Amino acid sequence: GPSTSWRWQPRSTSRMRWQAVVAPGSLSSSSLQGRHEQCLQRLRDLQVINAYRERTKSESITQMLSQAITATHTVYAVLGTAEFFEFALKNPYSVQHTVTIEFDHPELSVILDPREWRHFKELTKAATPLEEDMFHLRDDLRPQVYLRPKETVHIPFRYQTFSAEPAVAAVAGDDAATTSWQPGAMQTKHIQVTFRVSGGKPIALLRVKVEPRPHVVDQTFRFYHPELTFLKKAIRLPPWHTLPGAPAGMPGGEPEMYVRCSDPNIICETKNMGPGEPQDVFLKVAGGPSPQIKKFFVAIYTDAWLAAPLRIWQFYLHSLQRLDVSCTAGQLARLALPLRGTRALRKVKAFSSHPHELKVDPEGVFVLPPNGVLDLYVGVRPRRAGSRFIYLNLVDVEYHQLVSSWLVCVSCRQPLISKAFEITLPAGGGRGSNKRITYTNPYPTRRVYFLGTSRPDLLQFKEDSFEVAGGEVYTIGLRFAPSQSTGEEEILIHINDHEDKNEETFCVKVVYQ
């Protein structure tokens, strides 16, 4: 400004500077007051910064000291395989100490049994020393080890996981999506292990980094079971020497086999029945609501310490709605299944595991209205007597999603045989044979009848239906397929009325010679 002039002012012999000289009375009182407030604000900021530094100083020092005593070990974990490693723990003090090992993770453990420690050292060819009865447990089951001044010991650790999440895939509601277990989505886990002396002061920290890896599935089992019931199953184990990876020439003969399940809520066990006897795996699984799919794994071992599995079995349990049907062989049994729609409109189609014995109406693609109720008509016609399961699935054809699923439990009884025939046919090829049987209409009025057989692969009819007047006789033409081998077969011929109820059943005993 006009009241300011510049002059050369020497400060010392070695340093000079330009200095602005302000004429007296050129600054106003408001400017002086503003500068004073600015200085006060800067002073307050410096006091806040100094207080923050004092407060975080101890935390920063503690963090730096923790980094100095922290070691990291990486474990590449596979389902069912035990990962063994040792940590060199040193007492840095000139006095003895009892060190407590603290961590909180169910899949990591300290090997306390010297026999187990020796077993893993032999497997990994570790040359470190082994000490008997090195650990003792506190009341809270945390292991402790006694260290002399400047002493170093090796702490054996074992990491083993049987978890394979998610174990349940729910297919219900509007989502109708199956969640699958994807190895690519495995997450890295970090486990902190602290070694504390009396007084709670840590002398070492171990950071275990777990990198999950996918595992091999040797065999897959798939079971369909009624919803909200227990599946009880016994699966026979193959002879141990036939399993890949089984040790050859084991001393003591046949080893005992052990099993472990990935789901702790599933009962899975095996018992040794004696030398030379087969061994079974017993499973007891609680099924959920339909159409839930429960997935789990079973690992099979031949060593008591469960170091590495010889086989891993994968299991799927499909929980289905149970539908009981009692019927007669060759006769159609009808029932209706109510279908309840979701919030969205769906195009669905029904699929059967036995399409020749179970048919649905509508047969093709149909629309399931939103929040509506629709009946799916089912017709069951078993070809032979006995009990069996038929699976019926309702699928969204646009999104390829499972909407509903049923387990049709068929209890089929043998029809009453009104006539029996026996014929002899040549075996060893040929063009087949034609035969005739007669049927008399027992009613006074004209009737239409339909023909069926229990063995459509061996017997065909000239006509699948016929019409006959009251009291008259009709000749049924039969054609038997040629057989390549000798033997006997019993073939049923069902004669049903216009409502598909069984009027009569003939039994033809065919002797191939």
Side-chain angles (χ1 to χ4, degrees):
S3 59
T4 305
S5 61
W6 294 87
R7 66 182 179 181
W8 179 263
Q9 180 178 1
R11 287 283 181 151
S12 64
T13 57
S14 61
R15 188 176 65 180
M16 297 183 180
R17 59 177 292 185
W18 289 93
Q19 182 179 13
V21 179
V22 182
S26 60
L27 292 178
S28 62
S29 59
S30 60
S31 299
L32 290 174
Q33 185 178 359
R35 287 191 176 185
H36 181 67
E37 292 178 356
Q38 186 177 6
C39 291
L40 291 178
Q41 181 63 36
R42 290 182 178 178
L43 182 60
R44 286 193 292 267
D45 292 343
L46 291 174
Q47 291 175 350
V48 171
I49 293 172
N50 187 46
Y52 176 76
R53 287 176 177 175
E54 290 295 330
R55 187 169 62 250
T56 60
K57 183 183 295 184
S58 60
E59 297 178 2
S60 301
I61 294 175
T62 303
Q63 184 178 2
M64 293 179 64
L65 292 176
S66 298
Q67 293 176 356
I69 62 174
T70 298
T72 302
H73 182 81
T74 303
V75 172
Y76 299 98
V78 180
L79 177 75
T81 301
E83 299 294 333
F84 168 77
F85 64 94
E86 293 178 327
F87 176 71
L89 177 63
K90 181 180 180 180
N91 180 10
Y93 303 107
S94 300
V95 295
Q96 66 273 11
H97 276 290
T98 298
V99 181
T100 304
I101 306 173
E102 299 178 357
F103 57 90
D104 187 15
H105 200 279
E107 296 172 347
L108 182 68
S109 61
V110 177
I111 298 179
L112 306 177
D113 193 331
R115 297 172 300 170
E116 181 181 357
W117 190 2
R118 183 178 294 105
H119 177 74
F120 281 100
K121 288 176 77 68
E122 292 174 354
L123 288 178
T124 58
K125 303 296 189 293
T128 53
L130 184 146
E131 183 177 343
E132 301 279 348
D133 300 327
M134 190 172 70
F135 300 99
H136 65 276
L137 296 178
R138 295 195 334 182
D139 294 336
D140 56 1
L141 300 182
R142 290 182 177 179
Q144 290 183 325
V145 60
Y146 174 80
L147 292 180
R148 291 184 289 268
K150 304 295 183 179
E151 182 185 10
T152 300
V153 296
H154 290 83
I155 308 297
F157 285 94
R158 169 190 181 133
Y159 180 85
Q160 190 170 24
T161 179
F162 291 95
S163 176
E165 297 295 339
V168 173
V171 191
D174 296 320
D175 296 334
T178 301
T179 305
S180 60
W181 181 66
Q182 300 176 356
M186 296 179 179
Q187 297 294 327
T188 302
K189 293 185 282 188
H190 299 275
I191 306 173
Q192 180 82 8
V193 183
T194 306
F195 302 87
R196 299 185 187 274
V197 297
S198 56
K201 184 178 180 180
I203 63 170
L205 299 174
L206 174 61
R207 186 169 178 263
V208 181
K209 182 181 179 183
V210 181
E211 295 280 357
R213 290 293 183 267
H215 60 275
V216 175
V217 174
D218 299 286
Q219 194 169 354
T220 300
F221 298 86
R222 194 177 295 271
F223 296 106
Y224 298 87
H225 204 64
E227 62 178 344
L228 304 176
T229 58
F230 281 97
L231 170 69
K232 299 176 182 179
K233 201 72 177 178
I235 303 175
R236 178 143 297 177
L237 287 170
W240 70 274
H241 55 81
T242 64
L243 298 176
M250 289 190 63
E254 185 174 346
E256 186 174 356
M257 303 184 76
Y258 305 87
V259 293
R260 182 71 183 268
C261 185
S262 62
D263 190 345
N265 296 318
I266 294 176
I267 297 177
C268 178
E269 59 183 13
T270 181
K271 294 180 180 179
N272 189 5
M273 306 305 293
E277 294 293 332
Q279 218 169 331
D280 293 338
V281 175
F282 300 96
L283 292 173
K284 182 180 178 182
V285 189
S290 174
Q292 187 186 86
I293 303 174
K294 181 171 289 188
K295 179 179 179 180
F296 58 95
F297 299 88
V298 172
I300 304 172
Y301 303 85
T302 54
D303 66 296
W305 306 115
L306 311 184
L310 290 182
R311 305 280 283 182
I312 292 183
W313 289 349
Q314 179 178 248
F315 288 84
Y316 291 94
L317 176 59
H318 297 254
S319 297
L320 311 180
Q321 302 178 57
R322 183 184 178 102
L323 186 64
D324 292 294
V325 178
S326 180
C327 56
T328 303
Q331 181 171 303
L332 184 67
R334 298 181 179 89
L335 60 153
L337 297 178
L339 304 178
R340 187 173 299 276
T342 60
R343 290 195 297 268
L345 182 142
R346 290 181 178 272
K347 292 183 178 180
V348 296
K349 184 178 179 180
F351 296 88
S352 169
S353 62
H354 295 70
H356 298 291
E357 297 186 353
L358 187 147
K359 297 185 181 297
V360 295
D361 183 26
E363 186 177 359
V365 178
F366 62 94
V367 174
L368 186 61
N371 299 321
V373 178
L374 196 67
D375 284 336
L376 178 67
Y377 296 96
V378 178
V380 182
R381 190 204 306 268
R383 291 176 175 173
R384 65 183 187 275
S387 299
R388 66 174 80 45
F389 291 144
I390 300 178
Y391 311 119
L392 179 61
N393 297 318
L394 188 69
V395 179
D396 189 317
V397 296
E398 291 184 329
Y399 296 97
H400 304 284
Q401 296 171 344
L402 187 63
V403 178
S404 294
S405 191
W406 294 269
L407 181 65
V408 183
C409 305
V410 179
S411 177
C412 182
R413 57 186 175 272
Q414 187 82 337
L416 181 64
I417 306 298
S418 56
K419 288 184 180 180
F421 304 90
E422 183 175 338
I423 60 175
T424 301
L425 299 178
R431 301 177 54 186
S433 302
N434 295 320
K435 300 291 180 179
R436 289 187 177 90
I437 59 174
T438 60
Y439 176 72
T440 304
N441 180 11
Y443 298 99
T445 58
R446 178 175 292 273
R447 294 293 180 100
V448 176
Y449 295 97
F450 297 89
L451 298 174
T453 177
S454 61
R455 295 297 301 272
D457 56 328
L458 297 179
L459 173 63
Q460 294 181 352
F461 301 102
K462 183 179 179 180
E463 297 175 346
D464 292 334
S465 63
F466 63 92
E467 186 175 357
V468 59
E472 292 189 356
V473 178
Y474 183 82
T475 302
I476 302 174
L478 309 176
R479 178 167 182 80
F480 293 90
S483 174
Q484 301 297 326
S485 59
T486 60
E488 296 181 358
E489 294 286 349
E490 285 193 354
I491 303 175
L492 300 183
I493 299 175
H494 306 289
I495 303 175
N496 296 348
D497 64 4
H498 65 285
E499 294 181 349
D500 225 340
K501 295 193 297 291
N502 184 244
E503 287 279 357
E504 288 193 58
T505 298
F506 297 161
C507 179
V508 180
K509 182 179 179 181
V510 183
V511 180
Y512 296 96
Q513 63 182 17

